[in-house]
Amino acid sequence: MSGTRATPRIIVFNMNFIGDVLFTTPALAALRKGYPEAEVTVVVGRRAKDVLVANPDVDHLVEFPRTLSERWQLLRRFFRRFDLSLSLSSRNVERAAWGMALGCRQRWGFNRPETRLFLTGRIEERRDRHWAEDYLELACLAGGKRNGDLPRFYLTPEEKAWAEELPARWGLRPGHLWIGVHVGASYPEKAWRPERFLELARLADEASGAQVIAFGGPGEEAATGDWLATQATNAVNLAGKLSLRDFAAAVSRCTAFVGGDSGPTHIAAALGVPTVGLYGFTDPTRMGPLGERVEVLLGLERHWDPNAQRLQESPYQWLDPISPEEVWKAIGRLTAR
């Protein structure tokens, strides 16, 4: 970085959603390896900030400002403090413009008409590969060095200790298989029918005596988890009862995890938990879960059709072709490795 201070300061403008931010962690690891002495600050959306807590590749974590007053305060605080900026959102003009506003000499991002004027270095999106690879290539072109391709979610020692107490706290049976399931999604097109989770729970009970743990947020997902726990004697509902960090600690103890295209599924995969991803409405080539033990099952494959939602007969139709038996077999394959 000619013309800059000996130890560069790097600012990364990340995104708002759990899965998207997880996909950027290989890029953050590459920056750390390429600039081992650098101070790395990541500005991230409030909904996904907890994804990067305890990440060793991040020195400072800042929540993206939501009001004009907060934006002005951040601009005054960070003006001319950084040498290099990365905008990891391909279409967000504001995130690309922040690097210029802060006075960064090097400003990297994706080459799009609405953002290219704010950038000194650009790459093209590659729709034939995973988003994580796009982010990683961007970081490497900015001076990073590849240090692993898979997303990572890091737990603190305290969170790991908390997870050890799960059996006593939630009535889980020690010595049994624990199958975590995400009983919802950001919208129904990415969700499996609740009845399918019930069929899976009964199948798991009959096959191995496994317990099924329902995860999810408050509201409708919590209600679905309650319903599942009343219908299946081997089901335990934790939906609506855990923070994001607590969920990650809990799922790290699971034998396997099942979910659609959602943040919990990506977290489970990033933690190394054997994960079955259920896909149909979105393209797993671009946005599938990434991990050492992951299998994706496909339902309907019209996820690339922009009129798909408008033409659908039921929001659940995308994952309906995937049967509980198929999911159980995938769990068996993953856990046998």
Side-chain angles (χ1 to χ4, degrees):
M1 294 181 63
S2 177
T4 64
R5 56 177 64 89
T7 302
R9 291 177 175 177
I10 300 171
I11 188 166
V12 178
F13 290 93
N14 217 308
M15 290 167 288
N16 297 320
F17 297 101
I18 294 170
D20 294 335
V21 172
L22 264 176
F23 295 156
T24 69
T25 55
L28 297 176
L31 288 176
R32 175 63 73 204
K33 187 173 182 179
Y35 299 104
E37 302 301 322
E39 178 181 325
V40 178
T41 297
V42 177
V43 184
V44 63
R46 175 178 55 88
R47 294 179 61 181
K49 184 178 178 181
D50 282 348
V51 171
L52 297 179
V53 170
N55 188 304
D57 302 313
V58 178
D59 295 302
H60 306 290
L61 196 56
V62 178
E63 186 175 311
F64 194 85
R66 285 175 282 176
T67 67
L68 287 176
S69 174
E70 290 174 346
R71 284 169 166 80
W72 174 245
Q73 291 174 23
L74 189 68
L75 180 61
R76 293 182 61 187
R77 175 184 169 192
F78 284 164
F79 185 64
R80 296 199 181 281
R81 277 196 55 190
F82 298 95
D83 308 298
L84 185 154
S85 70
L86 260 76
S87 172
L88 295 175
S89 178
S90 64
R91 293 173 175 81
N92 190 291
V93 177
E94 182 181 358
R95 281 169 168 76
W98 267 98
M100 178 179 287
L102 293 177
C104 299
R105 295 192 179 190
Q106 292 196 43
R107 305 182 298 275
W108 289 85
F110 290 93
N111 186 28
R112 295 188 61 83
E114 61 268 38
T115 60
R116 66 169 62 110
L117 292 177
F118 300 105
L119 305 172
T120 61
R122 313 166 191 85
I123 69 164
E124 301 289 339
E125 293 179 44
R126 286 271 306 274
R127 297 185 179 277
D128 60 339
R129 68 183 182 184
H130 202 281
W131 267 113
E133 190 63 31
D134 276 352
Y135 302 138
L136 182 55
E137 181 185 347
L138 178 63
C140 289
L141 287 174
K145 295 182 180 179
R146 187 179 291 260
N147 188 26
D149 302 333
L150 297 178
R152 288 286 182 261
F153 190 105
Y154 296 90
L155 296 171
T156 66
E158 293 77 15
E159 288 165 340
K160 293 177 182 179
W162 178 88
E164 292 290 335
E165 301 174 3
L166 277 177
R169 182 179 291 110
W170 299 108
L172 299 174
R173 298 194 293 263
H176 285 69
L177 302 180
W178 299 339
I179 310 300
V181 298
H182 183 213
V183 294
S186 55
Y187 48 94
E189 285 79 6
K190 296 182 179 183
W192 214 23
R193 291 182 186 272
E195 295 81 5
R196 295 298 180 87
F197 286 112
L198 176 58
E199 295 174 39
L200 177 64
R202 290 172 174 168
L203 182 62
D205 193 23
E206 294 171 3
S208 66
Q211 284 188 284
V212 169
I213 307 173
F215 293 107
E220 186 175 342
E221 292 181 10
T224 300
D226 284 335
W227 172 82
L228 181 62
T230 62
Q231 298 296 312
T233 58
N234 64 324
V236 176
N237 180 35
L238 298 188
K241 300 178 181 179
L242 303 176
S243 68
L244 178 68
R245 299 292 305 183
D246 286 345
F247 158 75
V251 82
S252 72
R253 297 291 312 280
C254 287
T255 309
F257 188 84
V258 179
D261 176 19
S262 64
T265 302
H266 297 302
I267 289 175
L271 285 164
V273 176
T275 299
V276 180
L278 311 179
Y279 274 68
F281 186 71
T282 47
D283 186 357
T285 301
R286 194 75 169 135
M287 301 183 68
L290 297 175
E292 294 162 353
R293 292 184 290 176
V294 169
E295 185 168 334
V296 172
L297 301 180
L298 290 175
L300 295 181
E301 297 183 59
R302 289 187 59 197
H303 40 259
W304 53 84
D305 184 351
N307 296 313
Q309 275 181 292
R310 183 170 59 83
L311 299 174
Q312 68 190 12
E313 297 178 7
S314 162
Y316 292 114
Q317 72 185 42
W318 307 101
L319 302 185
D320 270 350
I322 304 173
S323 69
E325 291 78 12
E326 191 177 359
V327 172
W328 182 248
K329 289 179 181 178
I331 292 172
R333 289 191 294 269
L334 288 170
T335 55
R337 294 177 187 173

